[in-house]
Amino acid sequence: MEDALRSRRSVRAFLPTPVPRSTVERLLALASRSASNSNCQPWQVHVVTGAAKRSLTAALLQAQSGDDEGRGQERGRDYAYQPPQDGWREPFRTRRRRFGESLYRDTLGIRAGDTAARLGHHRRNYDFFGAPVGIVLTTSRHPLQGALVDAGLFLQALMLAARGEGLDTCPQASLIDFSPVLRRHLLIPDDQLIVCGLALGYADQAHPLNQLRTPREPVAAFTTFHEDPAE
């Protein structure tokens, strides 16, 4: 488990090597052992591969380009995933900026003002970064916000189980910007909240993107111990 935690990272370049359905099913079965409030297990999983994945990718790219007939109707998240661009507070604003610099400037060599190049990289989200397996995670709306906690536990378990199989993943919030497209293609009912996407496959270790490593804050920075006073 420690190895899985230490080696897990968000991979943004995958090999086309197929992942057998039996492997995906085994990973999902392991992830289903996650804790959930009163054992409600509110999660649902949609797995796309092959032609289904290509069709979904094409629809997402079309919507992202604004070429769809509905235009604005194809955009929208099911929940407020994050603040607006100018709404980030410290220390999150600085951490987010440093990540962006590490990804675009240091790893991809894209200048801050090169909007076209940044958009080109962002669009790779909608092909699940080339991964052979795309996953969309949803959860029931009925358990309210607790279902998002349960879904998060399931997602983390799935990513760690994947590492145990020598696979890599990338959780993707960008997909939920086009929740109507996901609902239409995957027949997701309205009583399901679309949580996020997940790319699953074998990392392309030679790709520069997979050399990126993000830092973590030390335990002392986010932990307060409440203990008995010293004798």
Side-chain angles (χ1 to χ4, degrees):
M1 177 60 73
E2 182 174 343
D3 288 343
L5 281 165
R6 290 187 179 277
S7 63
R8 189 217 63 80
R9 64 194 194 281
S10 294
V11 165
R12 295 177 174 84
F14 289 86
L15 297 171
T17 308
V19 179
R21 175 170 171 168
S22 60
T23 298
V24 177
E25 290 177 341
R26 182 166 65 253
L27 296 178
L28 293 172
L30 288 170
S32 74
R33 302 303 306 168
S34 300
S36 62
N37 182 29
S38 301
N39 197 35
C40 285
Q41 306 173 66
W43 47 73
Q44 291 286 314
V45 177
H46 297 263
V47 180
V48 291
T49 59
K53 176 176 169 283
R54 291 191 295 272
S55 177
L56 177 60
T57 291
L60 287 167
L61 287 172
Q62 185 180 46
Q64 195 271 343
S65 298
D67 294 335
D68 57 285
E69 293 181 2
R71 291 188 180 271
Q73 297 177 8
E74 296 291 78
R75 293 179 178 269
R77 300 171 181 168
D78 281 1
Y79 65 106
Y81 177 79
Q82 62 186 10
Q85 185 74 17
D86 59 353
W88 290 88
R89 297 181 178 179
E90 295 295 351
F92 315 114
R93 180 193 297 273
T94 295
R95 292 175 186 169
R96 191 167 183 263
R97 177 179 55 78
R98 287 175 178 167
F99 167 72
E101 290 172 349
S102 296
L103 175 63
Y104 288 102
R105 184 192 66 192
D106 301 339
T107 302
L108 294 173
I110 298 175
R111 301 187 311 275
D114 193 343
T115 304
R118 285 174 171 254
L119 179 60
H121 171 73
H122 180 76
R123 283 170 64 84
R124 296 181 61 251
N125 275 279
Y126 304 115
D127 185 35
F128 297 90
F129 295 111
V133 179
I135 291 174
V136 174
L137 175 64
T138 74
T139 190
S140 173
R141 294 180 186 270
H142 298 293
L144 303 181
Q145 284 86 346
L148 283 171
V149 176
D150 298 340
L153 292 170
F154 179 92
L155 180 67
Q156 178 76 336
L158 178 55
M159 292 189 291
L160 294 178
R163 287 302 304 133
E165 287 283 337
L167 292 158
D168 284 286
T169 57
C170 185
Q172 298 174 269
S174 56
L175 299 183
I176 67 174
D177 288 342
F178 302 98
S179 290
V181 177
L182 299 177
R183 288 193 184 280
R184 184 173 69 250
H185 275 257
L186 305 179
L187 303 180
I188 299 172
D190 288 340
D191 65 353
Q192 288 287 312
L193 188 74
I194 302 177
V195 179
C196 67
L198 184 75
L200 172 69
Y202 295 96
D204 180 355
Q205 302 293 357
H207 199 288
L209 277 166
N210 289 332
Q211 310 311 309
L212 174 64
R213 297 293 185 271
T214 53
R216 292 295 185 270
E217 293 294 310
V219 171
F222 59 80
T223 305
T224 301
F225 289 96
H226 302 267
E227 302 174 313
D228 293 332
E231 294 293 337

